[in-house]
Amino acid sequence: MITSLGLRRISPPSKVWSGGWRRGLSGLLPSREKETERISKDPDLDLSKIRNFSIIAHVDHGKSTLADQLMRFTNTVDARRLEDGQQILDDMDLERERGITIKMRSVRMNYMNRNENYQLNLIDTPGHVDFSYEVSRSLAAVEGALLVIDASQGVQAQTVANVDLAIENDLEIFTVLNKIDLPHAETDKVLKELEVVIGLDPKDAILISAKKGFGIDKVLEGVVDRIPHPTGSSREPLKALVFDSYYDVYKGVVVFVRLKGGRLRKGDKIQVMSSKSKYTVEEVGTFTPNMTKLDKGISSGEVGYVMCGAKQIGDIPVGDTITLSGEGGAAEPLPGYKKVKPMVFCGIFPIDGDDFKKLQTSVEKLKLNDASLDYQVDSSSALGMGFRCGFLGLLHMDIVIERLEREYDLSLLCTTPSVTYRVVQLDGSIEELSNPSLIPKDLREIQEPFVKVQVMLSPSKMGAVIDLFRSRRATLLNTSHLSGERAQLSFEMPLVEVITDLHDSLKSVSRGYASMDYQMSDYRPQALVKMNITVAETEVGPLSTVVPRSDAHRRGKELCGKLAELIPRHQFKISVQAKVGGKVVASDHINPFRKDVTSKCYGGDVTRKKKLLDKQKKGKKRMRQFGRVDVPNDVFRQIAKIKR
Amino acid sequence: MGRLDMKTAFAAYVKESVGRSSASKVISQPPHAAYVHIPFCRQRCHYCDFPIVVTGDHLEVEKRANLHENYFNALIREIGLESTSGRPRRALTSVYFGGGTPSLASARDISNVLRTLDSVVGLESNCEVTLEMDPGTFDLAKAREFQSIGINRASVGAQTFNPELLKLCGRAHSVDEIYQAVENIRSAGIQNFSMDLIGGLPTQSLETFQGSLEELIRLEPSHLSVYDLIIENGTKFARLYSAGSSPLPSEEDTSEMYRMASLRLQEASYVHYETSSFALEGFQSAHNQTYWRNEPYFGFGLGAASFLDGNRFKRDGRMGGYMDWVSTASKYEDLEMPVEEVYTFQTEVEEFIMLGLRTAEGLDFEELSRRFDEDIAKNVFKSLKGQERHHVHLEDGLLARLTSPEGFLVQNAIIVDVLKNLPF
């Protein structure tokens, strides 16, 4: 089949580098090995010999594998370094397990094509919708994008979303159809889809198998032939677009920039245009993939990194523009900068109250490297001291919590995720609240954030998917049949309905044959009420939620039922109630247990009995006490995961 | 007080309490109770995980005699070593021969032990001396012998009056033998005797339990132990049954058995004076109350537990290990009794509460104040005040006791609540 497609096998290095190349880069520092030889071969700023590009793809469509292959093919990495790389990658299990790219990086490759030496800058993009702003900024840093599509899976919602971002940024896009060697690859069908859904000419698509190394040369040729070279001049005022950054324990903040004008060298006095904060450039360089200093700096059209003594990555935010401070600075920043606002919030509390300090240091450390993580101290009589954290989305939240637990060895209690509500007070003033338990009893109106959602699916699942979305207060905006077996739906719905396991439910009703993506749209007033939960007449603040008035009974019943199932029996009967404005809308109860074991306790039994009670005591001490009721920590997580 | 002040004050308090690592004086007062373990049994009951030696009915007489002789030699040697401990003395108010089946031993052997105890520690004139006497292991003559050497209290392991259940439990005796044993004990002049009754046996119904309970009441023992079957690891029952599932009775049924026993026995003028103990007024077990008051006691013999100077020490349950332990020592100091856990102020408070709440006497807040401190007493009071009225009875804020049967039924949960709120 492969030969029939006219592909020839390229001889790749014997070792296969498995994914996640951008992590390897940070691991390969410091620059023990000077890459001077390779750098000296750089084209002397002949812009026509530079190509800046990204790879965009749905999760698991093979972006990282293709990136690895491009580096291997251009000898940017050799077999020996690949071995190092593999070791370095070992500690990045979180990213690999989830099969997604959390942070993006860039790498410079030198590529000989028809006796011309090209500088190719590949800028990676995060693969998930939560990070779409970061994706858009890295796309703003390039002139073209490779759209990688899995030939066995076809066009997915995220593919479309990423293509939209690429089109917004005026990029030249060409398609790379990956995994064509798989037995269930449907190359022709996917090419047709490409034409219908995205409007790209299937004839221009390059067919490859990144894993096997087929077609990589064609991809590189495509990059040179189809992607426009950068424009602009180093004589213009400096305009450096910040498209990524990371915090390194030894070097501090490393900022990735694309120069859209001017030059940037060591010793330059620079200014961050949004905050006006000033720094002196300590080092400029590029990743090849080693961190390699460039004494002559970088010029308009090029991509590289800058270090200037910033303390945390939020000091030089992604999307911002760096220019020279004082005379010679640019008057206007590059377009498109916005402050990223968290969309999903939850309370994070240490299970062991003594761990608060540890949690604080850990969150601060994460923040160094995650500008979009938002946090402030939160305290609750039942949960103790913790943080109210804001995230870009559910996945971002999961990643942060998992990193806190795994890398910082914390046991955490997390409350049900919430969105930011706009509460219109009786006096007409508006307050934004992301913690439902703080919503006052008397108010005029609650407004909630709405999103636009696109779903790609097989038409046979359309009914089930529409039902699912309708049950989540979604309005169907548009239906389009793309090809015989592919349709696109767009909806409008409250964000909170999206962040409570919509994605999982979608996967389950569509048997995995649907994908979705969403964007913030606006705030709308809704008939919403705050619902409180009481357990044995004691209010459990962290379980307060905002629900549609019409749905309060059903949701209350569901919540009470789940709590009755999760809270262990006590020696007394426990009532569980859902209340709206002080009125009970649903209730359930937990029957008391009948008896403990009434065994004998003589001299020889004391130690054993005491150990048993100690164990029970320790278990209870780890629980949260609401009035007389001990609630296991896991209850909060289970409630947060409630399936609807 | 603001949040921070409260925290600081609490931290200071915790520090102070924890700083008081030493236990109270009660723990190191001279012990006045002794437990003596006699490990021999005709066969192992299917629920039993005690350190015993099965002699079997078929073991040659001579072999059995040797076993007994060697064991009693070691036991008497161990008691003898206590004479070199230098411990202050107080005459024993109770001696308890437990097993195993102590009634399998000869009156002479038991008498030797008593005489040794008397010479080493001393026996009070009205010392309660209990011997566990299982049905089918003694006749009237032997009962008389036991009575004549000073046994003034017997404990008869009946467990159930249902023949099928006796068999299922692997008991070595019949129902008739229970009646016979009781008659022999009475005729021998041992009027003070206790009987055991187990609830929650496999296939046991409320009716069969009630039947056994009524039989017991008819026999008018001065004392009764009624308790739940516990499926212990390593027993035959553990291989056959799993807790919480059939043919073991439901939680509902076993709680009803306990409730029934408590109510019916109180009706028959027994005092429910401890979670699993009932007695006619004045016949409460002096020996067991030592345990529940968290006072020190001696322990001698295979697998026996002692509580001396704040060290709860359990002897080796394997015969070889125990024999070696005793025989290699020539004075008390040579007996290795490694401290598993240092007995701290906290341990004592917790054990005192755990044991005290098992009894009908309950906890005396003045005693808590005296033995520990006022803050502990206040803390415990507050925890118990928060419990259900029908579980905990508070008398004028001075005493707290669990109610019978409802409070006793959920005592672990109540005790854990109290322990949880202590500032440790």
Side-chain angles (χ1 to χ4, degrees):
Chain A
M1 179 194 164
I2 283 164
T3 37
S4 74
L5 285 167
L7 294 173
R8 66 183 171 88
R9 189 183 169 95
I10 304 149
S11 55
S14 55
K15 283 264 178 191
V16 175
W17 196 21
S18 63
W21 54 276
R22 66 223 74 72
R23 280 295 172 178
L25 305 183
S26 60
L28 284 163
L29 48 87
S31 48
R32 268 168 276 150
E33 261 175 273
K34 293 281 177 195
E35 297 279 306
T36 44
E37 200 191 345
R38 186 167 287 155
I39 297 306
S40 67
K41 280 183 192 165
D42 273 358
D44 189 27
L45 273 183
D46 174 359
L47 290 179
S48 71
K49 297 293 184 299
I50 298 178
R51 299 291 182 275
N52 299 316
F53 69 104
S54 278
I55 305 178
I56 53 182
H58 190 75
V59 178
D60 278 344
H61 280 201
K63 185 173 65 167
S64 299
T65 317
L66 175 59
D68 289 350
Q69 290 289 10
L70 294 177
M71 284 190 280
R72 290 166 66 194
F73 198 83
T74 54
N75 290 319
T76 308
V77 286
D78 58 34
R80 184 180 46 78
R81 206 168 287 123
L82 284 175
E83 268 174 64
D84 291 348
Q86 243 160 7
Q87 279 172 351
I88 290 153
L89 288 173
D90 280 348
D91 55 19
M92 284 318 301
D93 47 352
L94 187 64
E95 183 168 337
R96 250 188 318 178
E97 269 172 37
R98 288 175 169 262
I100 51 149
T101 305
I102 302 167
K103 288 303 292 180
M104 51 191 169
R105 295 287 183 266
S106 82
V107 67
R108 180 181 290 192
M109 298 175 275
N110 285 298
Y111 172 57
M112 287 293 286
N113 179 278
R114 291 173 287 251
N115 291 323
E116 297 278 4
N117 199 351
Y118 288 88
Q119 179 201 110
L120 308 185
N121 291 306
L122 167 56
I123 293 176
D124 195 19
T125 57
H128 192 272
V129 56
D130 284 359
F131 306 96
S132 63
Y133 177 67
E134 297 194 11
V135 176
S136 84
R137 290 309 85 200
S138 65
L139 293 183
V142 296
E143 279 76 29
L146 310 186
L147 171 63
V148 177
I149 297 175
D150 185 329
S152 67
Q153 303 211 351
V155 176
Q156 302 290 318
Q158 210 184 321
T159 321
V160 181
N162 282 334
V163 168
D164 287 347
L165 284 176
I167 291 169
E168 265 173 43
N169 282 292
D170 268 340
L171 300 191
E172 183 65 35
I173 304 165
F174 73 88
T175 311
V176 174
L177 206 57
N178 191 18
K179 308 194 191 181
I180 52 155
D181 56 323
L182 291 182
H184 50 284
E186 299 179 288
T187 309
D188 293 339
K189 210 183 94 188
V190 174
L191 285 175
K192 177 98 175 59
E193 241 172 58
L194 190 68
E195 188 173 16
V196 180
V197 183
I198 305 177
L200 292 174
D201 189 344
K203 285 198 292 293
D204 292 340
I206 298 173
L207 310 185
I208 69 159
S209 164
K211 199 172 164 197
K212 298 252 169 85
F214 300 125
I216 306 302
D217 54 339
K218 292 270 193 295
V219 174
L220 286 164
E221 279 164 22
V223 168
V224 168
D225 293 343
R226 300 192 204 175
I227 294 176
H229 62 77
T231 53
S233 159
S234 52
R235 282 180 291 273
E236 291 166 16
L238 171 66
K239 279 187 179 179
L241 169 68
V242 177
F243 64 84
D244 191 13
S245 58
Y246 71 90
Y247 176 83
D248 180 273
V249 197
Y250 301 104
K251 296 174 178 269
V253 174
V254 178
V255 180
F256 288 81
V257 289
R258 157 68 199 272
L259 264 57
K260 300 244 176 172
R263 314 178 61 130
L264 189 59
R265 276 169 299 195
K266 182 179 173 180
D268 284 348
K269 308 274 186 228
I270 55 167
Q271 174 176 314
V272 177
M273 292 191 80
S274 73
S275 64
K276 308 267 180 274
S277 51
K278 294 180 174 60
Y279 300 92
T280 301
V281 175
E282 291 165 1
E283 186 179 323
V284 175
T286 183
F287 281 84
T288 64
N290 291 45
M291 203 172 194
T292 308
K293 256 191 246 181
L294 292 175
D295 292 333
K296 61 187 169 68
I298 51 175
S299 299
S300 182
E302 287 190 295
V303 171
Y305 70 84
V306 186
M307 290 191 279
C308 59
K311 295 285 175 290
Q312 57 174 22
I313 67 169
D315 295 342
I316 306 180
V318 167
D320 214 327
T321 305
I322 293 176
T323 190
L324 293 176
S325 66
E327 302 258 328
E332 289 294 320
L334 293 163
Y337 171 70
K338 63 177 184 189
K339 208 168 168 321
V340 180
K341 271 176 78 178
M343 311 239 281
V344 178
F345 296 82
C346 84
I348 296 182
F349 297 85
I351 282 180
D352 180 348
D354 295 342
D355 278 347
F356 174 72
K357 274 273 164 238
K358 193 175 164 195
L359 174 62
Q360 183 167 26
T361 344
S362 308
V363 173
E364 279 164 4
K365 274 189 196 153
L366 281 187
K367 175 74 183 173
L368 289 174
N369 224 339
D370 185 350
S372 37
L373 171 65
D374 192 66
Y375 66 93
Q376 52 192 19
V377 175
D378 188 9
S379 79
S380 134
S381 56
L383 304 182
M385 298 278 282
F387 291 97
R388 187 88 194 157
C389 295
F391 309 93
L392 297 177
L394 267 195
L395 180 93
H396 185 210
M397 181 180 94
D398 283 350
I399 290 169
V400 169
I401 291 167
E402 216 167 311
R403 288 189 67 185
L404 285 171
E405 292 197 318
R406 201 187 292 207
E407 291 169 34
Y408 296 93
D409 193 28
L410 285 157
S411 293
L412 301 174
L413 183 157
C414 306
T415 62
T416 310
S418 164
V419 298
T420 301
Y421 292 96
R422 280 191 187 151
V423 177
V424 184
Q425 315 274 25
L426 292 177
D427 63 5
S429 63
I430 293 178
E431 199 179 354
E432 294 204 342
L433 290 168
S434 61
N435 185 350
S437 67
L438 298 179
I439 293 177
K441 207 173 141 205
D442 297 315
L443 48 84
R444 188 180 292 173
E445 180 181 88
I446 299 179
Q447 300 176 352
E448 68 177 324
F450 268 66
V451 288
K452 285 207 165 74
V453 184
Q454 294 80 42
V455 182
M456 302 286 303
L457 75 174
S458 138
S460 65
K461 307 288 180 218
M462 200 123 85
V465 170
I466 290 175
D467 284 349
L468 169 70
F469 276 73
R470 289 226 165 105
S471 76
R472 302 300 191 94
R473 296 193 280 146
T475 314
L476 181 62
L477 297 180
N478 189 31
T479 313
S480 39
H481 288 268
L482 304 168
S483 60
E485 290 172 54
R486 213 123 185 96
Q488 185 177 19
L489 301 175
S490 33
F491 296 97
E492 224 171 29
M493 66 195 293
L495 171 63
V496 71
E497 301 286 344
V498 177
I499 65 168
T500 34
D501 89 293
L502 178 65
H503 196 243
D504 285 349
S505 305
L506 175 66
K507 271 192 189 153
S508 109
V509 301
S510 68
R511 308 244 167 96
Y513 289 109
S515 59
M516 61 172 271
D517 196 27
Y518 65 90
Q519 302 85 39
M520 254 315 265
S521 84
D522 53 2
Y523 270 86
R524 294 180 196 178
Q526 295 286 299
L528 298 173
V529 289
K530 175 185 172 185
M531 186 167 77
N532 292 324
I533 299 293
T534 62
V535 171
E537 278 80 53
T538 304
E539 189 174 313
V540 184
L543 292 179
S544 293
T545 50
V546 172
V547 297
R549 182 179 293 283
S550 58
D551 211 18
H553 170 68
R554 192 184 63 83
R555 298 275 288 276
K557 207 172 152 70
E558 182 181 70
L559 206 51
C560 291
K562 190 78 184 169
L563 281 171
E565 196 181 293
L566 292 170
I567 296 174
R569 292 188 298 163
H570 281 55
Q571 65 266 36
F572 44 87
K573 183 174 170 174
I574 300 169
S575 68
V576 182
Q577 296 178 322
K579 291 180 178 176
V580 170
K583 254 181 67 185
V584 178
V585 291
S587 70
D588 208 323
H589 67 271
I590 303 153
N591 275 325
F593 60 83
R594 291 307 192 84
K595 69 185 268 285
D596 297 318
V597 175
T598 51
S599 56
K600 293 191 281 196
C601 186
Y602 300 149
D605 308 316
V606 174
T607 307
R608 186 155 53 163
K609 176 103 183 162
K610 176 75 192 325
K611 277 187 180 150
L612 179 85
L613 293 180
D614 270 343
K615 210 175 134 196
Q616 290 181 16
K617 180 183 85 175
K618 287 207 178 88
K620 278 208 169 190
K621 275 202 158 177
R622 284 175 66 89
M623 296 187 193
R624 301 291 154 164
Q625 201 171 343
F626 291 92
R628 300 164 59 203
V629 180
D630 296 297
V631 179
N633 291 292
D634 193 44
V635 167
F636 297 92
R637 197 170 284 198
Q638 293 296 329
I639 291 293
K641 274 195 213 151
I642 216 166
K643 298 278 174 213
R644 294 221 233 106
Chain B
M1 248 193 308
R3 198 184 163 77
L4 202 65
D5 295 339
M6 287 268 285
K7 259 197 131 159
T8 323
F10 183 72
Y13 173 58
V14 168
K15 209 171 157 199
E16 193 185 303
S17 311
V18 172
R20 272 188 62 180
S21 62
S22 55
S24 81
K25 284 185 201 129
V26 181
I27 296 307
S28 43
Q29 73 188 10
H32 59 94
Y35 174 82
V36 183
H37 193 70
I38 310 296
F40 307 106
C41 278
R42 291 196 289 169
Q43 62 190 58
R44 187 182 277 276
C45 302
H46 296 166
Y47 51 77
C48 170
D49 74 333
F50 270 54
I52 63 158
V53 176
V54 176
T55 57
D57 289 333
H58 317 293
L59 202 64
E60 290 163 45
V61 178
E62 202 179 322
K63 254 191 176 165
R64 199 181 307 157
N66 268 339
L67 254 175
H68 281 222
E69 191 185 331
N70 291 340
Y71 181 71
F72 276 96
N73 284 342
L75 185 58
I76 282 166
R77 185 185 168 83
E78 192 199 345
I79 300 170
L81 291 171
E82 168 59 30
S83 66
T84 64
S85 71
R87 199 189 314 281
R89 293 295 170 211
R90 181 178 160 192
L92 296 174
T93 54
S94 71
V95 176
Y96 193 100
F97 290 94
T101 312
S103 49
L104 284 176
S106 70
R108 191 175 47 92
D109 284 339
I110 298 292
S111 171
N112 283 341
V113 172
L114 277 174
R115 284 216 303 269
T116 314
L117 280 172
D118 191 29
S119 68
V120 172
V121 191
L123 298 183
E124 217 172 55
S125 58
N126 58 349
C127 181
E128 174 192 279
V129 185
T130 310
L131 185 79
E132 288 184 352
M133 299 176 73
D134 276 2
T137 61
F138 61 95
D139 54 14
L140 177 59
K142 197 169 182 185
R144 282 194 170 130
E145 279 176 46
F146 283 135
Q147 192 273 336
S148 71
I149 61 154
I151 301 298
N152 53 26
R153 188 172 178 271
S155 173
V156 183
Q159 319 302 356
T160 172
F161 284 80
N162 181 294
E164 283 81 40
L165 283 179
L166 276 179
K167 205 170 154 219
L168 183 138
C169 288
R171 298 287 297 175
H173 61 84
S174 64
V175 176
D176 280 348
E177 282 170 322
I178 301 175
Y179 296 115
Q180 194 60 55
V182 168
E183 198 183 309
N184 288 341
I185 286 168
R186 279 227 165 87
S187 308
I190 307 174
Q191 299 305 335
N192 183 8
F193 67 93
S194 177
M195 295 189 80
D196 282 8
L197 182 68
I198 303 192
L201 289 170
T203 75
Q204 192 174 29
S205 66
L206 271 176
E207 289 70 33
T208 51
F209 179 82
Q210 188 173 19
S212 293
L213 181 65
E214 293 304 328
E215 279 310 296
L216 266 188
I217 291 170
R218 219 168 49 79
L219 289 172
E220 294 180 350
S222 53
H223 187 280
L224 275 157
S225 295
V226 182
Y227 50 87
D228 261 341
L229 171 76
I230 296 184
I231 305 281
E232 301 286 4
N233 287 337
T235 61
K236 185 169 181 184
F237 271 12
R239 289 195 299 278
L240 295 175
Y241 313 111
S242 56
S245 52
S246 173
L248 293 173
S250 65
E251 182 190 291
E252 204 125 304
D253 278 358
T254 51
S255 67
E256 209 39 60
M257 288 176 197
Y258 184 84
R259 204 170 270 126
M260 178 195 288
S262 170
L263 297 175
R264 184 69 190 92
L265 287 170
Q266 290 184 71
E267 222 171 71
S269 40
Y270 288 90
V271 182
H272 193 175
Y273 77 104
E274 190 263 349
T275 306
S276 55
S277 310
F278 299 81
L280 295 176
E281 193 49 66
F283 288 90
Q284 286 89 340
S285 159
H287 186 77
N288 288 344
Q289 291 191 76
T290 308
Y291 299 144
W292 303 324
R293 288 187 182 128
N294 208 25
E295 290 169 354
Y297 50 86
F298 290 110
F300 299 108
L302 182 76
S306 56
F307 181 36
L308 301 167
D309 303 313
N311 182 15
R312 290 196 185 278
F313 175 71
K314 204 162 215 162
R315 280 145 193 76
D316 202 327
R318 293 159 306 170
M319 190 57 94
Y322 170 71
M323 296 289 228
D324 284 350
W325 180 75
V326 175
S327 63
T328 51
S330 54
K331 53 187 185 306
Y332 182 77
E333 279 175 15
D334 301 338
L335 288 175
E336 275 185 50
M337 298 193 196
V339 179
E340 200 185 297
E341 209 180 319
V342 180
Y343 206 80
T344 59
F345 179 72
Q346 177 182 351
T347 325
E348 191 187 350
V349 171
E350 293 183 338
E351 289 186 355
F352 184 79
I353 292 165
M354 165 183 107
L355 295 166
L357 285 177
R358 288 187 67 88
T359 66
E361 275 178 26
L363 289 174
D364 179 336
F365 293 112
E366 258 177 41
E367 193 184 350
L368 272 172
S369 278
R370 214 165 42 238
R371 190 158 165 165
F372 307 111
D373 62 48
E374 208 187 322
D375 291 325
I376 296 285
K378 280 184 178 158
N379 184 303
V380 174
F381 179 75
K382 198 173 158 229
S383 296
L384 289 171
K385 203 163 186 275
Q387 296 291 332
E388 298 283 291
R389 290 274 173 82
H390 67 282
H391 287 156
V392 179
H393 184 75
L394 285 166
E395 267 167 45
D396 307 328
L398 295 173
L399 289 168
R401 56 177 180 81
L402 302 191
T403 55
S404 158
E406 300 305 330
F408 281 147
L409 270 168
V410 292
Q411 61 169 294
N412 281 0
I414 294 172
I415 294 169
V416 168
D417 276 351
V418 175
L419 299 190
K420 186 188 71 179
N421 296 337
L422 286 170
F424 301 121

